[in-house]
């Protein structure tokens, strides 16, 4: 997998025969969602990383919105992380990532939908001015309470039961980034997982070593470096 993010004057790499072309950005949590599904399925794919600050002209030609993640399948250009995750689960049914019960599938989708509050609070904290940092940190911690409660009520190790399912993979990218708050704020803010969120703390430790997550995992320090450079307006992709 190439790690350089292609920018304005680049040329699109030739497609790999027998592989899905996947357009991504290494630090994008939405793109990571799709990457985790590809990993879980073992789907052959070749990844092209896009510099979202200086988007390649060839990418804007095929996708004027210029967003990631995106896939090319059977000559069709497909985008949006949750739609792509659903598509991949149906197109490559083994192993299935959604629960077979229609009711449970709806309930799981509602968990993913409600999780948006966590992502919003996280990026408020990371990208805000120092004056309101504490307010946003408190908002972030509060947003995690329903997620801890949900996992406790399920009475299982993962949201998917005894192994991760779509819920686990769709919310994981933000949990991977939560630990970056410590190095990013130089210890000013640390999510109290062990004290306030013991179920999620255990879940996080198991997710890090999951076969779909581990190959793509980045350390808190690496995520913090990305956010620091991004906020300062510095090149924040090829690090």
């Amino acid at each position: 997998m190439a790690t350089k993010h292609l920018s304005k004057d680049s040329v699109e790499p030739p497609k790999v025969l027998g592989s899905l072309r996947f357009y991504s950005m290494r630090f994008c949590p939405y793109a990571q969602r799709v990457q985790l599904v590809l990993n879980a399925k073992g789907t052959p794919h070749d990844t092209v990383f896009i510099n979202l600050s200086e988007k390649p002209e060839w990418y804007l030609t095929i996708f004027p919105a210029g967003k990631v993640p995106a896939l090319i399948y059977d000559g069709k250009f497909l985008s949006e992380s949750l739609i792509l995750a659903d598509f991949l689960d149906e197109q490559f049914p083994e192993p299935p990532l959604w629960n077979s019960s229609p009711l449970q599938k709806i309930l799981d989708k509602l968990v993913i939908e409600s999780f948006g509050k966590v992502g919003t609070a996280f990026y408020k904290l990371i990208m805000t001015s120092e004056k309101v940092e504490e307010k946003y940190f408190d908002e972030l911690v509060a947003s995690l309470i329903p997620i801890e409660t949900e996992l406790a009520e399920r009475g299982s190790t993962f949201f998917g039961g005894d192994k991760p399912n779509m819920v686990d993979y769709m919310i994981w990218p933000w949990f991977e980034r939560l630990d970056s708050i410590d190095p990013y704020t130089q210890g000013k803010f640390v999510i109290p997982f062990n004290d306030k969120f013991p179920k999620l703390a255990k879940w996080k430790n198991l997710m890090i070593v999951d076969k779909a997550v581990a190959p793509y995992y980045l350390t808190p320090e690496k995520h913090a470096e990305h956010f620091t450079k991004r906020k300062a307006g510095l090149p924040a992709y090829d690090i």
Side-chain angles (χ1 to χ4, degrees):
M1 178 188 295
T3 55
K4 180 177 174 58
H5 290 73
L6 301 185
S7 57
K8 186 175 181 180
D9 296 326
S10 66
V11 176
E12 181 176 14
K15 295 180 177 64
V16 177
L17 188 65
S19 291
L20 294 182
R21 169 53 54 91
F22 177 43
Y23 300 101
S24 183
M25 191 277 271
R26 189 61 180 87
F27 294 93
C28 173
Y30 297 98
Q32 188 174 2
R33 279 175 161 176
V34 180
Q35 182 66 61
L36 294 179
V37 175
L38 290 167
N39 289 355
K41 300 285 184 178
T43 306
H45 61 282
D46 68 287
T47 303
V48 174
F49 288 112
I50 302 296
N51 183 326
L52 298 179
S53 296
E54 297 182 1
K55 297 168 185 175
E57 294 175 6
W58 57 262
Y59 191 58
L60 293 173
T61 298
I62 60 175
F63 189 31
K67 299 189 299 182
V68 297
L71 282 173
I72 291 180
Y73 185 87
D74 196 22
K76 305 295 184 182
F77 196 91
L78 314 173
S79 63
E80 299 298 333
S81 65
L82 295 178
I83 294 174
L84 292 174
D86 272 354
F87 169 76
L88 291 170
D89 197 49
E90 292 178 4
Q91 194 66 30
F92 304 97
E94 293 299 327
L97 295 181
W98 282 119
N99 193 289
S100 59
S101 161
L103 174 59
Q104 188 59 51
K105 184 175 181 179
I106 288 291
L107 293 173
D108 286 352
K109 287 194 171 190
L110 289 172
V111 172
I112 295 170
E113 177 72 21
S114 67
F115 185 79
K117 295 177 182 178
V118 177
T120 299
F122 172 74
Y123 278 102
K124 280 183 183 178
L125 173 65
I126 290 294
M127 303 309 291
T128 192
S129 63
E130 188 173 341
K131 293 180 181 178
V132 289
E133 277 183 348
E134 190 163 350
K135 169 188 172 183
Y136 290 142
F137 179 73
D138 291 342
E139 181 182 332
L140 174 58
V141 172
S143 72
L144 290 170
I145 295 173
I147 311 302
E148 171 79 7
T149 300
E150 178 69 29
L151 185 56
E153 289 179 349
R154 291 188 178 215
S156 54
T157 303
F158 299 98
F159 290 89
D162 59 358
K163 59 184 178 181
N165 77 347
M166 194 69 83
V167 177
D168 300 275
Y169 291 134
M170 293 302 100
I171 70 176
W172 170 255
W174 285 268
F175 276 97
E176 181 172 310
R177 287 155 179 78
L178 287 180
D179 286 337
S180 71
I181 294 171
D182 182 356
Y184 180 74
T185 64
Q186 298 180 333
K188 182 177 180 181
F189 297 113
V190 181
I191 301 291
F193 276 107
N194 291 328
D195 293 336
K196 294 198 69 169
F197 309 111
K199 297 288 186 183
L200 288 173
K202 181 180 178 181
W203 173 83
K204 280 173 66 263
N205 289 335
L206 293 172
M207 285 294 290
I208 288 173
V209 297
D210 175 72
K211 66 178 183 179
V213 172
Y216 204 73
Y217 175 77
L218 290 176
T219 64
E221 291 74 21
K222 188 62 69 175
H223 282 296
E225 181 182 357
H226 168 74
F227 289 128
T228 299
K229 290 184 174 180
R230 178 178 164 186
K231 192 171 182 179
L234 299 171
Y237 297 110
D238 298 325
I239 57 175

